[in-house]
Amino acid sequence: MDRLSDIALFLRVVDLGTISAAARSLDLSVAVASQRLQRLEKGLNVRLLHRTTRRLHPTPEGLALAEQGRDLVEGLEALTQDLRSSADNVTGTLRVTLPHSFGRQYISPLLPEFLNRYPRLDLCVGLTDQVVDLVGEGYDLGIRIGILEDSSLVARRLADDERVLCASPGYLARHGTPQRPSDLVDHQCLVLSSNRRRQDIWHLTDKQGQSEAVQVGGRIRSNQGEMLTEAVLGGLGIAQHSVWHIHEYLRSGQLSVVLPDYRLTETSIYAVMPQRQLVPPRVRAFVAFLGERLAEHPVWALRREDQ
């Protein structure tokens, strides 16, 4: 960039004929302009200007640089102007990766409103429960739920991710209702499996802030939350679920909250991005939009009577 800036200064000298005139037009001191021209000549190892008492004239090498360098500088200026103007207009293609169930239930219904708001924007959405390498896969943005493990990403919290233990009334009628966390070891617990970390140790905290960790087990493990939902609805055990995933079953009575006086580890729903600076306008617009729609009173928030 310094080299291009120096070439732009050289072109201004060629056009105006003197260093002082070029310096004034660029709001530079004559001394600084002279130093930058000397730096350019030294870097290229050629003399670019013949200096006379009244005017500067380009050497043959200077004429060649002026002819070929002008297109380069003007092209860069045009590109810079285009990028600056796009900062005020949300355009281009936004590539987003979403967790499968959450994306389908809560983000997908919002997309028509978002695209109507920004008619010059295209959208490419990937639904997966796998942790995606945003940079390697070329995504602008990802939605992640739970504990963030990649500290290199920039995260904005969008909403709480309240989680509960739940079971069907039928299961509790057959096997009894746990009264304390330690009772879970005698129950069928449906465990979400992951290659990244253990999820068979459930951490619960009582109203006094005392925490207890219980290692649980059962006949079913899966890396897919929807499979565990079907299993818990079928009366196969106790599951740990995000409220956004099962709030309708809780309200309808198909599922009941287990150990309601205890809280699981608090987690959140985040928008994550690869970089903090020079975030594209399309990314800023989408994050702000989701913040508006998800932050206050999300549709899945439980009332006390729901539990």
Side-chain angles (χ1 to χ4, degrees):
M1 293 302 295
D2 285 343
R3 178 66 58 83
L4 286 171
S5 180
D6 290 348
I7 293 174
L9 170 62
F10 166 74
L11 293 173
R12 192 66 60 90
V13 172
V14 171
D15 292 339
L16 299 180
T18 66
I19 295 177
S20 59
R24 283 195 302 271
S25 72
L26 296 173
D27 197 24
L28 297 172
S29 70
V30 175
V32 168
S34 297
Q35 290 172 0
R36 286 176 51 181
L37 288 171
Q38 291 173 11
R39 178 176 67 183
L40 179 62
E41 290 183 324
K42 184 176 180 180
L44 297 175
N45 197 30
V46 295
R47 180 174 291 280
L48 299 173
L49 295 165
H50 289 304
R51 292 164 175 83
T52 64
T53 55
R54 298 187 60 183
R55 192 172 178 87
L56 297 176
H57 301 277
T59 64
E61 293 80 7
L63 288 172
L65 177 61
E67 180 179 354
Q68 299 179 44
R70 194 176 298 277
D71 290 339
L72 181 63
V73 171
E74 290 178 352
L76 178 62
E77 289 177 349
L79 174 61
T80 301
Q81 184 60 37
D82 287 344
L83 292 175
R84 285 173 177 168
S85 63
S86 70
D88 299 323
N89 299 284
V90 178
T91 62
T93 299
L94 176 66
R95 302 193 73 239
V96 183
T97 175
L98 307 173
H100 189 274
S101 295
F102 186 80
R104 183 174 50 80
Q105 288 180 245
Y106 298 105
I107 305 299
S108 180
L110 300 176
L111 296 182
E113 178 186 356
F114 178 70
L115 291 175
N116 286 336
R117 183 181 297 188
Y118 300 107
R120 299 177 62 193
L121 183 70
D122 295 329
L123 192 61
C124 178
V125 180
L127 292 172
T128 177
D129 289 328
Q130 301 301 314
V131 177
V132 175
D133 177 0
L134 297 183
V135 176
E137 298 293 331
Y139 282 102
D140 296 304
L141 177 76
I143 302 299
R144 293 190 180 168
I145 300 173
I147 299 172
L148 297 181
E149 299 179 356
D150 189 344
S151 61
S152 68
L153 299 175
V154 179
R156 174 177 167 180
R157 180 184 167 280
L158 297 174
D160 289 332
D161 175 38
E162 182 183 3
R163 296 180 299 145
V164 296
L165 299 183
C166 59
S168 70
Y171 174 86
L172 297 176
R174 292 191 303 274
H175 300 281
T177 300
Q179 301 300 312
R180 57 188 62 84
S182 58
D183 293 343
L184 293 171
V185 299
D186 297 321
H187 283 267
Q188 288 292 319
C189 293
L190 312 176
V191 177
L192 187 68
S193 62
S194 169
N195 293 330
R196 299 174 64 85
R197 59 188 177 90
R198 292 186 63 168
Q199 299 191 47
D200 60 347
I201 299 178
W202 292 355
H203 298 267
L204 297 101
T205 304
D206 64 19
K207 292 181 178 180
Q208 287 71 45
Q210 298 296 315
S211 297
E212 185 173 348
V214 182
Q215 185 166 359
V216 299
R219 298 171 61 195
I220 297 179
R221 293 171 179 259
S222 176
N223 66 346
Q224 231 294 328
E226 289 185 343
M227 181 175 182
L228 297 185
T229 303
E230 296 296 331
V232 74
L233 285 169
L236 296 180
I238 298 172
Q240 182 180 151
H241 262 309
S242 294
V243 172
W244 61 259
H245 202 158
I246 59 166
H247 70 98
E248 293 179 346
Y249 301 123
L250 293 172
R251 291 188 171 106
S252 68
Q254 292 175 268
L255 293 177
S256 299
V257 174
V258 175
L259 297 173
D261 292 332
Y262 291 82
R263 292 289 180 262
L264 296 168
T265 302
E266 294 183 358
T267 58
S268 297
I269 301 167
Y270 298 94
V272 295
M273 297 155 280
Q275 72 274 352
R276 185 182 303 276
Q277 297 180 338
L278 301 179
V279 177
R282 60 184 180 273
V283 175
R284 293 199 304 269
F286 193 59
V287 173
F289 175 77
L290 293 182
E292 294 172 9
R293 293 295 179 269
L294 301 180
E296 295 186 5
H297 310 296
V299 296
W300 61 81
L302 285 181
R303 302 181 301 271
R304 176 55 57 183
E305 57 266 28
D306 296 320
Q307 302 185 40

